Amino acid sequence: MSARILDDATTGTIKIGDISVRRLGFGAMRISSARNAEGKLDRAEAVKLTKRVYERGVNFFDAANIYGYGACEEIIAEALHPYPKDVLIASKAGFATIEMTKEMRSLPPDGNPRRIREETEKSLRRLRVDCIDLHQSHVPDPAYPYADTIGAFAELQKEGKIRHVGVSNVSLEQLRIAQSVVKVVSVQNRYNVGSRDSEDVLAACEKEGIAFLPYRPVGLRNTPADNLIAELAQKHHAATQQVALVWLLKHSPVMLPIPGTSNIHHLDENIDAAWLSISDAEIAALDAAAAPQEGKKAASPFS
């Protein structure tokens, strides 16, 4: 049986600035890790995976300059350029592009405005475009005033090298700082059924019509909702990540989940979540089980 194709009616659409995309995207962080049947890293398999994303009807791709140290953007361009008119390729800059050591949990941030410009120019070349439709500040860097970092994105927008500006890993206060500098059309924070520290940011996005891109959308973390998700998955003959994705889609109209994978089977499984029917009562039960605990400290954006 051929795979179903996502269309505007399946999940609905969302506006990112003046661009409309379907409300289930693809997080491209892991595509450079695609492997062939022998288990070896395979660039051709990564290109095949990327093409499959669009063939299934997904038209929002989330990339970054540090994903595969540039390989992610190159693979997307190899697979899809010249880009179909309905595709939106988003990228990010704001982490240092140094080689990670075993002791490092994450790359360090780099909000130097000069480095933002340099990395954006590299992304433009790798993506083979003159203008990035959505470019996001990847993470605030405490070494630089956040307004200065965002100012670099604003300047690049004025020069026509960025169409729309977004932010990632931000608190509500940092979102407001960014908005004082430039129009912000998207926020990309960690958010899933068991990790809801960004409720205040999500509420602001809902009020102001800003797209909210939850990363790690299916990252279950031994929360009270996990058992219920497992029960619902069994009841509906679905995978747990499919239930988690449906919850996100139902939870907020500005939600644009971006599950990622390096495996075509997992890709198809994630996209098939769009046709999974879960009742309002079941969603309400998940809402209650996943409710954030009072006094819980926000997780570090660098984790």
Side-chain angles (χ1 to χ4, degrees), residues 218-237:
V218 296
L220 305 182
R221 302 173 62 204
N222 297 317
T223 68
D226 288 1
N227 290 338
L228 182 52
I229 285 178
E231 291 174 13
L232 289 173
Q234 185 176 17
K235 175 183 176 181
H236 292 280
H237 306 288

Side-chain angles (χ1 to χ4, degrees), residues 7-23:
D7 61 19
D8 290 357
T10 312
T11 58
T13 61
I14 188 169
K15 279 287 191 76
I16 299 180
D18 59 351
I19 307 172
S20 180
V21 296
R22 295 179 189 119
R23 214 161 59 91

Side-chain angles (χ1 to χ4, degrees), residues 55-101:
E55 289 167 358
R56 289 294 313 271
V58 174
N59 59 0
F60 178 83
F61 292 74
D62 173 69
N65 67 322
I66 63 166
Y67 295 167
Y69 291 95
C72 167
E73 294 171 324
E74 293 173 351
I75 290 166
I76 289 173
E78 186 175 343
L80 299 177
H81 191 273
Y83 300 111
K85 291 182 179 180
D86 65 335
V87 164
L88 194 167
I89 310 295
S91 197
K92 297 183 287 292
F95 273 112
T97 52
I98 62 175
E99 187 172 347
M100 285 189 68
T101 65

Side-chain angles (χ1 to χ4, degrees), residues 196-250:
R196 296 174 57 182
D197 300 320
S198 291
E199 289 292 352
D200 56 345
V201 178
L202 175 58
C205 289
E206 290 175 340
K207 184 178 180 180
E208 299 166 32
I210 298 171
F212 188 93
L213 285 52
Y215 71 81
R216 296 186 190 169
V218 296
L220 305 182
R221 302 173 62 204
N222 297 317
T223 68
D226 288 1
N227 290 338
L228 182 52
I229 285 178
E231 291 174 13
L232 289 173
Q234 185 176 17
K235 175 183 176 181
H236 292 280
H237 306 288
T240 54
Q241 68 264 30
Q242 292 177 321
V243 176
L245 287 169
V246 172
W247 178 81
L248 285 168
L249 289 168
K250 297 266 192 178

Side-chain angles (χ1 to χ4, degrees), residues 4 45 59 62 66 98 102 144 153 266 270 284:
R4 287 174 288 189
E45 190 69 17
N59 59 0
D62 173 69
I66 63 166
I98 62 175
K102 293 181 179 179
Y144 295 90
F153 287 86
H266 291 158
N270 288 337

